[in-house]
């Protein structure tokens, strides 16, 4: 309730606050994952009102990555692309998501099967692989819900630096100081 903010192209905006303050709900409302009857207010894109958020906030306009990313029991490449993507787009997404070295160490590289729900991967690898999926189609806005919860600090720094250097516009939930230091804007939600 009672929140208003603007994100400019290329900015990194962090949403933070205590558990239950509405961080995930805010992101889900923004991208249209909460039914229209449950949300109020408006979202504007370049000044134009977005009437159907769920239809609008998809690639190439936006990509959303939830707290618990869903992976499929298939190859690394198929998990990222969810369909055909060029080798160049796949490599760029893996680089941006800071997982290229991990994939290079796997027996079959991008053809490696990751098992049901990514069970052959660590929590951080699952998050970064899902991040690559969000980035592979070069969305204008990347919305990340607590992406770094399973990442070590060095990997998180690399990931945020990669997104910033790529000029990505990012809206992310985080509680970590490394994200606050990188942020152009921090939105702090109060407990409900």
């Amino acid at each position: 309730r009672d929140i208003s903010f603007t994100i400019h192209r290329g900015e990194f905006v962090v949403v933070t606050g205590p558990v239950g303050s509405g961080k995930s709900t805010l992101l889900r409302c923004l991208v249209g994952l909460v039914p229209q009857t449950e949300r109020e207010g408006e979202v504007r894109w370049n000044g134009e009102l977005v009437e159907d958020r769920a239809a609008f906030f998809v690639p190439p306009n936006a990509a959303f990555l939830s707290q618990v990313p869903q992976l499929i029991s298939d190859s690394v490449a198929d998990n990222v692309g969810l369909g055909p993507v060029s080798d160049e787009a796949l490599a760029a997404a893996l680089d941006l998501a800071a997982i290229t070295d991990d994939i290079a160490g796997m027996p079959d590289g991008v053809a490696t099967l990751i098992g049901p729900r990514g069970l052959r991967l660590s929590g951080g690898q699952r998050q970064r692989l899902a991040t690559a999926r969000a980035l592979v189609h070069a969305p204008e806005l990347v919305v990340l819900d607590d992406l770094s919860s399973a990442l070590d600090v060095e990997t998180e720094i690399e990931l945020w630096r990669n997104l910033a250097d790529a000029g990505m516009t990012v809206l992310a939930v985080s509680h970590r100081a490394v994200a606050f230091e990188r942020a152009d804007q921090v939105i702090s939600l109060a407990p409900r």
Side-chain angles (χ1 to χ4, degrees):
R1 292 189 182 137
D2 303 321
I3 185 165
S4 179
F5 60 95
T6 301
I7 301 174
H8 297 282
R9 184 180 303 274
E11 282 189 332
F12 176 47
V13 178
V14 174
V15 178
T16 192
V19 172
S21 61
K23 301 175 298 292
S24 294
T25 301
L26 173 65
L27 298 188
R28 292 174 56 79
C29 282
L30 172 79
V31 299
L33 295 176
V34 173
Q36 183 72 34
T37 57
E38 294 180 27
R39 53 188 166 161
E40 296 179 17
E42 62 184 30
V43 174
R44 294 188 173 271
W45 184 272
N46 296 328
E48 298 294 321
L49 182 65
V50 177
E51 295 287 346
D52 185 350
R53 297 176 201 175
F56 184 83
F57 285 103
V58 296
N61 292 333
F64 174 73
L65 181 59
S66 66
Q67 283 183 14
V68 182
Q70 301 298 313
L71 299 176
I72 57 176
S73 184
D74 213 325
S75 69
V76 166
D78 287 336
N79 268 277
V80 173
L82 293 178
V85 295
S86 70
D87 291 343
E88 295 80 19
L90 177 62
L94 294 172
D95 281 344
L96 281 172
I99 194 167
T100 299
D101 292 342
D102 298 60
I103 303 303
M106 293 179 180
D108 297 317
V110 297
T112 300
L113 298 176
I114 63 164
R117 297 179 314 277
L119 288 175
R120 293 189 180 138
L121 304 175
S122 71
Q125 288 173 324
R126 283 193 298 271
Q127 284 184 315
R128 288 179 288 142
L129 190 62
T131 300
R133 177 192 300 153
L135 302 173
V136 75
H137 297 291
E140 290 190 50
L141 173 65
V142 181
V143 182
L144 306 168
D145 193 355
D146 208 9
L147 162 72
S148 59
S149 62
L151 301 182
D152 61 77
V153 174
E154 293 79 23
T155 303
E156 183 180 5
I157 290 170
E158 180 184 0
L159 181 59
W160 293 141
R161 182 180 54 242
N162 290 352
L163 294 175
D165 290 349
M168 308 280 309
T169 305
V170 178
L171 175 62
V173 167
S174 183
H175 303 286
R176 311 259 297 251
V178 66
F180 301 151
E181 292 165 6
R182 172 70 65 186
D184 295 298
Q185 169 180 189
V186 176
I187 299 167
S188 184
L189 300 183
R192 290 191 227 178

